[in-house]
Amino acid sequence: MTTQNQELKKVGLKVTLPRLKILQMFESNPDGHMSAEEVYKALQDSGEDVGLATVYRVLTQFESAGLVSKHNFDGTHAVYELASEEHHDHMVNVDNGEVVEFVDDVIEKRQHEIAEQHGFELVDHSLVLYVRAKKG
């Protein structure tokens, strides 16, 4: 049994060709973040006959099952990435939409300290920096 088959079964999803193809698409994507439309286009370009509605449905199922995480960085369209045990934050280039992941222990520590100072325990967070390339 392939790793993708095992991953789907582990989260209680039936192994179907569209689910396998979409999961493989994310696992082989070096950029890590893809919109439903990008997944659909990549599937079409590779000769797969999977409709856009199916892509949306599978991504919703994957998100519910914890296989992918959904982000609405620019407030208009969602991008997805494989879910990870490792926490990371994001920078989004406002000029071209490129998403860069980063981890910074100092920022993480400071966020916990700020929550503590206000009488809270930090249980989760999302940090997104909107950036642009420096000119000059």
Side-chain angles (χ1 to χ4, degrees):
M1 184 181 308
T2 68
T3 303
Q4 289 92 5
N5 287 4
Q6 291 171 338
E7 287 180 56
L8 290 173
K9 286 184 177 184
K10 183 172 76 177
V11 296
L13 292 173
K14 183 178 175 189
V15 177
T16 65
L17 192 58
R19 287 179 182 148
L20 284 173
K21 294 296 181 185
I22 292 169
L23 188 55
Q24 288 168 352
M25 187 78 47
F26 277 97
E27 289 177 344
S28 65
N29 177 19
D31 296 330
H33 301 82
M34 297 177 77
S35 69
E37 293 79 10
E38 290 169 330
V39 171
Y40 172 72
K41 183 175 179 345
L43 289 168
Q44 295 301 302
D45 290 349
S46 67
E48 298 297 332
D49 186 25
V50 177
L52 184 57
T54 300
V55 171
Y56 274 105
R57 185 173 58 255
V58 168
L59 289 173
T60 299
Q61 292 166 345
F62 282 6
E63 182 186 11
S64 295
L67 285 176
V68 299
S69 297
K70 178 180 178 181
H71 304 282
N72 288 90
F73 293 128
D74 61 8
T76 55
H77 79 286
V79 293
Y80 300 83
E81 68 177 325
L82 285 176
S84 170
E85 298 278 328
E86 302 293 320
H87 173 77
H88 61 271
D89 296 306
H90 298 92
M91 287 187 288
V92 178
N93 184 324
V94 297
D95 294 324
N96 64 15
E98 176 190 13
V99 178
V100 177
E101 296 178 354
F102 71 95
V103 175
D104 186 299
D105 293 335
V106 174
I107 291 173
E108 295 304 314
K109 181 176 186 250
R110 187 68 186 120
Q111 290 174 114
H112 284 274
E113 290 171 354
I114 291 168
E116 283 282 328
Q117 289 170 359
H118 291 274
F120 297 104
E121 174 188 359
L122 183 63
V123 293
D124 193 15
H125 77 278
S126 174
L127 175 65
V128 180
L129 304 176
Y130 295 91
V131 300
R132 139 177 312 130
K134 287 185 175 181
K135 295 184 175 153

